[in-house]
Amino acid sequence: MEQFPIFLNLTNFPCAVIGGGDVAYRKASALIKAQAELTIIAPKICDELVELVQQHNINLIQKNYDSNLIKDMRLVVAATDDETVNAEIYQYCEANKILINTVDSPAYCRYTTPSIVDRSPILIAISSAGMSPVLARRIRATIESSLPQALGEIAQYAGSLRSRVKQKFKTIEQRRMFWENFFSSSIVSRFRQLKTEQKEQIVADLMNGETAQGEVWLVGAGPGDEELLTIKALQKMQLADVIVYDRLISQKTLDLARKDADFICVGKQKNYHLKQQEEINDLLVRLAKAGKKVCRLKGGDPFIFGRGGEELETLVQHQIPFQVIPAVTAAAGCASYAGIPLTHRDYARKVVFVTGQNSKEGDHPDWQALVRPYQTLVIYMGLTRADLIKTELINHGMDKNMPVAIVEKGTTPEQKVHITDLNGLPQLAEQNKVGSPALLIIGDVVKLAGKLNWFNPDEVEEGSSTFNTYIKP
Ligand code: SAH
C-alpha cells in the first residue's frame, strides 16, 4: 500500500490554500464543504474565489506567501503557479509537521486527495497515490453510476432507526438479520417513491419478523450493445435476486448482472416459446410472492412490442409492487448504428413503428396509413412477411423503388445492414441470407445510410471493408 487512507475531521482545524486561481478555488470549495476553518493566501484571487469568500466564513489574506502566514496551520494546499514557491511551502510544512498537498506534484505531497463518490454520509474515496488521477476519476465514474442516487438518504434513514432496532433486538445476530432484511427490502429499491408512512409500515413488518416483500422490475435491456443499457437498468440488474430474461438478451449483457443471482431464460422466439406468456406471468408472481427481487429483463424497450403491459397486469391483480425501466428500442438503436436518421427535414417528418405479426387472425394493419409521404416506416418482426408487405405497400401507392434497409442483429458486433428497395425486399428476405433478429426500415431516409455509416463492426473486428456491412442489391 503506497498510502494510508484516512477520513479527516476538519472542524476547528485551521487549513490554508495558497494560490488564487481555478485550482485553488476547487481545493478551497472542497475544504469548505467539509467545514474546514479556511484561510486563503494570494495577492490576487479569481472571481469564483471572490464569490466563495463572500458566501462563507473564510479568512482572506491578500499577500504573497510568507511562512509566517501558515505557522499556525495544520493542513496546507500549495496551489501557486510558481514551482519554487510550492517547493518552499512544502519544505516549511514538513519541517513544522503540517500536512501538505502540492497540486500536481506528488513528490511535494505529505497527503493526496482521492477522487470521491459523495452520497453523504456514505463516502467512497479512490486513490492512485497521485500516480494517475485520470484513472482514479474514471473508476469514480463507474462507481458513481452503479450506486443509487438515494444511497445517502437511505443511510441517514437507517441511522435514525438504530436505537429502535437496538431496543427491539437484544442479540447482535438478531440485529444483523434485521439489517440484512432492511437492505433487501423495497425501502432501498423505492426509497424516493415511498411515503414516510409506507416506509414506517415496512420497518414495522420487518421488526415483527416478516421477511422483505418481493417485487418485480420490468427492465429494458436495449437492442444488443450492452453499453446502451441505462444506468437504472444496470442498478436493477445488480440488485436483483433473480433475472428472468428473454432469449434475445446477449451473454455480455447478462454478465453485467449480479453474479450470484439466479438466471431463468424464458425463451421467446417466434414459433419457439420456451415458456408460454401465461407461464411467464405466473413465474413472476410466484417469485415475487416468495420475497424475491425479480428483474424481468426484456430486449429493447419493455413497452414496445414487448408484451410488458400484459405481464404487469397480472402483477397488479396480485398486488405485487413493480417498476418499469425504459430503454433504447430496436428502431432507435438499429437506425443510429446503421446511419439512418429516422426523421430528416428533407425526407421524413414522421416515423411509424409497426409490428409485422398480428395478434389476432384477420387483424390487418391500416396499409393506407403506412404509405403516407414524408414518413419513415419501421417494421418489427416483419422479415417473414416480406412478400405481403411489399405487395400491400405497392398496392396502396408506395413507389416500388422506395429504399429499404434490413438491419440484422443491430448494434451488436455481428450487425449487418442490407440495402435494397421495396421491389427487391422479398428476394433478399427469401435468399435466407438475413439472420434474426432483423428490423425493416422503409423510406427515403435509407438513402443516407451509405453516407452516414459510422458503426462498422466488420472493419473493427477483422479489418475488412465496409461492404461486408453494407450489402447492396
Ligand atoms: N421490445 C423490443 C421489440 C421486441 S419485438 C424493442 O423495443 O426493441 C422483437 C423484434 O424487434 C425482432 O423481431 C426485431 O424485428 C426487432 N429487434 C430487436 N432487437 C433487434 C436487433 N438488435 N436488431 C434488429 N432487430 C431487432
Side-chain angles (χ1 to χ4, degrees):
M1 204 191 296
E2 298 283 326
Q3 295 189 336
F4 182 69
I6 53 171
F7 287 92
L8 202 58
N9 177 355
L10 290 186
T11 30
N12 304 320
F13 200 76
C15 304
V17 171
I18 307 170
D22 292 355
V23 182
Y25 166 72
R26 280 208 309 277
K27 296 285 181 179
S29 309
L31 289 166
I32 281 295
K33 235 178 160 181
Q35 282 111 41
E37 196 184 295
L38 184 62
T39 299
I40 295 175
I41 302 165
K44 211 165 152 280
I45 59 171
C46 65
D47 293 347
E48 289 96 334
L49 270 177
V50 171
E51 212 172 293
L52 195 73
V53 169
Q54 282 163 355
Q55 286 166 353
H56 300 276
N57 186 14
I58 295 173
N59 178 23
L60 174 64
I61 304 179
Q62 290 196 286
K63 287 186 183 162
N64 278 323
Y65 163 71
D66 175 336
S67 62
N68 257 332
L69 297 173
I70 59 168
K71 67 180 186 342
D72 296 325
M73 297 298 157
R74 299 182 68 182
L75 179 148
V76 166
V77 179
T80 80
D81 49 12
D82 185 330
E83 270 188 36
T84 333
V85 176
N86 284 348
E88 227 176 274
I89 300 173
Y90 169 74
Q91 271 138 21
Y92 177 83
C93 289
E94 280 292 275
N96 291 277
K97 305 186 178 67
I98 301 169
L99 287 171
I100 167 76
N101 173 270
T102 306
V103 173
D104 278 343
S105 308
Y108 289 154
C109 288
R110 172 54 59 185
Y111 79 93
T112 54
T113 40
S115 275
I116 59 169
V117 178
D118 185 0
R119 300 276 202 283
S120 290
I122 302 294
L123 202 58
I124 300 165
I126 302 125
S127 163
S128 65
M131 304 290 167
S132 179
V134 173
L135 178 61
R137 275 206 293 280
R138 286 186 166 225
I139 297 171
R140 186 195 78 92
T142 312
I143 298 177
E144 184 78 64
S145 60
S146 68
L147 292 177
Q149 286 300 323
L151 195 68
E153 294 151 58
I154 294 164
Q156 211 116 38
Y157 186 66
S160 75
L161 297 174
R162 278 192 66 162
S163 58
R164 259 168 77 192
V165 174
K166 214 164 175 178
Q167 237 168 21
K168 168 91 187 174
F169 300 108
K170 298 298 169 216
T171 68
I172 293 179
E173 183 52 27
Q174 283 173 326
R175 290 202 283 273
R176 196 187 59 77
M177 278 295 289
F178 169 84
W179 287 119
E180 291 287 351
N181 280 328
F182 175 87
F183 287 112
S184 323
S185 76
S186 49
I187 288 191
V188 172
S189 54
R190 295 193 294 150
F191 191 82
R192 286 184 179 162
Q193 288 142 38
L194 292 173
K195 298 197 182 79
T196 314
E197 313 83 78
Q198 291 173 307
K199 287 178 200 148
E200 278 300 310
Q201 186 58 52
I202 295 172
V203 170
D205 291 347
L206 291 177
M207 285 207 176
N208 289 331
E210 286 181 31
T211 46
Q213 194 191 14
E215 57 185 290
V216 176
W217 306 315
L218 184 60
V219 177
D225 180 351
E226 66 282 3
E227 290 190 351
L228 289 177
L229 282 172
T230 63
I231 291 175
K232 208 157 203 170
L234 199 60
Q235 288 175 349
K236 296 299 184 212
M237 287 164 64
Q238 288 174 357
L239 264 181
D241 302 312
V242 189
I243 313 270
V244 178
Y245 64 98
D246 287 347
R247 191 193 52 89
L248 275 182
I249 310 290
S250 73
Q251 189 55 45
K252 280 191 183 153
T253 303
L254 293 174
D255 285 346
L256 296 172
R258 187 174 140 189
K259 293 281 174 285
D260 57 348
D262 290 331
F263 291 81
I264 304 177
C265 177
V266 288
K268 284 279 199 90
Q269 187 180 11
K270 201 169 160 287
N271 305 329
Y272 170 73
H273 280 215
L274 280 185
K275 282 190 191 291
Q276 291 297 330
Q277 190 64 51
E278 297 85 73
E279 280 182 65
I280 299 174
N281 300 351
D282 290 346
L283 175 71
L284 297 179
V285 170
R286 212 157 11 90
L287 289 167
K289 284 200 167 160
K292 304 283 185 199
K293 301 276 170 290
V294 185
C295 173
R296 171 70 177 108
L297 202 55
K298 293 177 93 78
D301 180 276
F303 275 3
I304 296 185
F305 309 128
R307 304 187 74 173
E310 294 165 46
E311 291 178 15
L312 294 188
E313 281 169 48
T314 319
L315 299 177
V316 171
Q317 264 172 24
H318 289 84
Q319 297 182 324
I320 289 164
F322 61 84
Q323 295 177 47
V324 185
I325 317 299
V328 175
T329 185
C334 294
S336 294
Y337 279 51
I340 302 171
L342 289 176
T343 67
H344 186 288
R345 286 207 302 183
D346 297 336
Y347 302 113
R349 300 187 203 110
K350 250 189 302 170
V351 49
V352 179
F353 297 173
V354 285
T355 164
Q357 303 298 321
N358 305 325
S359 59
K360 298 184 199 95
E361 275 305 314
D363 181 10
H364 298 297
D366 178 0
W367 294 105
Q368 202 62 55
L370 302 185
V371 299
R372 302 249 154 85
Y374 294 104
Q375 171 172 289
T376 305
L377 182 59
V378 182
I379 308 184
Y380 289 68
M381 299 174 275
L383 201 61
T384 53
R385 300 272 173 96
D387 209 6
L388 176 83
I389 289 168
K390 169 196 153 179
T391 313
E392 290 292 348
L393 289 180
I394 292 176
N395 283 348
H396 286 81
M398 191 180 272
D399 184 346
K400 65 180 186 346
N401 298 123
M402 182 62 86
V404 176
I406 306 179
V407 185
E408 173 187 341
K409 302 192 176 77
T411 81
T412 73
E414 294 89 44
Q415 168 172 304
K416 285 204 169 84
V417 181
H418 309 261
I419 306 279
T420 177
D421 57 16
L422 199 48
N423 217 13
L425 173 64
Q427 284 102 298
L428 189 61
E430 267 164 32
Q431 280 164 1
N432 233 357
K433 285 202 182 127
V434 184
S436 147
L439 189 82
L440 309 184
I441 304 178
I442 304 175
D444 285 321
V445 284
V446 172
K447 289 179 192 156
L448 293 162
K451 196 155 99 186
L452 303 184
N453 167 34
W454 61 272
F455 176 72
N456 195 337
D458 288 333
E459 200 166 67
V460 173
E461 294 271 295
E462 294 150 20
S464 58
S465 84
T466 330
F467 296 103
N468 285 352
T469 322
Y470 278 83
I471 298 154
K472 303 212 165 89

